[in-house]
Amino acid sequence: MDANKGKADQATPNPGGQMGKSVVLPFMESMLPKAVKRRVHALKRLQEQCAHIEAKFYEEVHELERKYATLYQPLFDKRREIVAGAVEPTDEECEWPIDEDEEDELAEEVKEKVTIEDAKKEEATPEEDPKGIPDFWLTIFKSVDMLSDMVQEHDEPILKHLRDIQVKFSEPGQPMSFTLEFHFEPNGYFNNAVLTKVYKMKSEPEASDPFSFEGPEIIDCEGCQIDWHKGKDVTVKVIKKKQKHKGRGTVRTVTKQVPNDSFFNFFNPVKASPDGEMDEDSELNLTTDFEIGHFFRERIISRAVLYFTGEALEDDESFEEEELEEGDEEEQDEEGDEDDEEGEADSKGFQDDAAVCLCL
């Protein structure tokens, strides 16, 4: 589904579509003869045309993603049914090769577990065969760092009712966007069957700075109203405060609703400012929101089972380690360069001192 991966990274989009504007004529260009500068301007016009062609490329990529989303959907529907326990996969569908070393390791773990369970056999009650795959999405949320930071303890009973997450792409002729749909089974917390989050995108160069274009970017997002049951809204909490009357000295207790940390604040996002002017905290929250939306779209939805088992987490960690190793090498190279420079400087300083001595 990540059709444009490697061409332009949408994982860290720029809020409001604002990018650094070049306000100073490049030094090299300012030093050129007038005739050469004129030709450079012609090249820039060509470059601007390239940016517009690139924008068209990404529009077609978006259409390709939308087309292939319909091919993925039957597979995701089958996944949803298996997770919910609505269907039981056949023996043939459950066949999967297991590595021998992995199987031996698993067998040892099972033996240890059986030993512990035997010791408590009399106390333990027989466990019924669970329906589907319990806590499938909750397990994923708690395993992925980006999501686990959002999930609070009071969110977990609600997320146990999450049945599926889907992504829908905007139709042809509509402004570019994608919608995340969180499907819930009937529960005692809210009436909504589906919670949605729309991410609006832009894929065209800025008229004032066309060379900053690097592909589609998320420019805004829009959540939905959650129809909470009375007393079940986990995004707010009630606090009690005592107030003392200045004149009479009497004390009264007042209750007040204040915001509460919750995953479900995800559906009430910070709005991007039309003029691009935002305080630092709001801009950071919006950027983080864009990253999470993109992560759901490109990774979680398409690779859910691998995040459930932890295999995708291992891949992510390996990629981070590789990046870190490369960064370490660069730092070492820089340190080596600094040492060489220091050595040259010391040598130069010694020569200068020697020259001073000779002059004296």
Side-chain angles (χ1 to χ4, degrees), residues 78-89 130-140 160 162-163 305 308-309:
K78 185 70 177 286
R79 178 180 70 186
R80 182 191 67 242
E81 292 173 348
I82 293 173
V83 168
V87 300
E88 184 64 31
K131 182 181 178 182
I133 304 179
D135 301 341
F136 181 77
W137 292 103
L138 175 59
T139 301
I140 293 171
K160 285 176 178 286
L162 180 59
R163 297 175 58 191
V305 66
F308 178 79
T309 61

Side-chain angles (χ1 to χ4, degrees), residues 254-302:
V254 296
T255 59
K256 182 182 179 183
Q257 275 194 346
V258 296
N260 192 30
D261 290 338
S262 168
F263 166 77
F264 292 91
N265 289 321
F266 179 68
F267 300 98
N268 184 28
V270 174
K271 294 296 293 179
S273 175
D275 58 7
E277 294 295 328
M278 300 180 69
D279 62 71
E280 190 174 341
D281 287 342
S282 297
E283 189 170 341
L284 178 61
N285 289 337
L286 194 60
T287 302
T288 302
D289 193 313
F290 291 171
E291 291 174 351
I292 293 169
H294 181 82
F295 194 73
F296 267 118
R297 165 187 157 172
E298 296 293 345
R299 305 287 291 176
I300 297 296
I301 294 174
S302 60

Side-chain angles (χ1 to χ4, degrees), residues 184-198:
F184 286 83
E185 63 186 8
N187 60 81
Y189 296 92
F190 48 73
N191 293 317
N192 311 63
V194 182
L195 301 180
T196 60
K197 185 77 170 282
V198 179

Side-chain angles (χ1 to χ4, degrees), residues 160-171:
K160 285 176 178 286
H161 297 283
L162 180 59
R163 297 175 58 191
D164 198 19
I165 307 176
Q166 299 179 12
V167 60
K168 299 293 175 63
F169 296 93
S170 54
E171 294 296 325

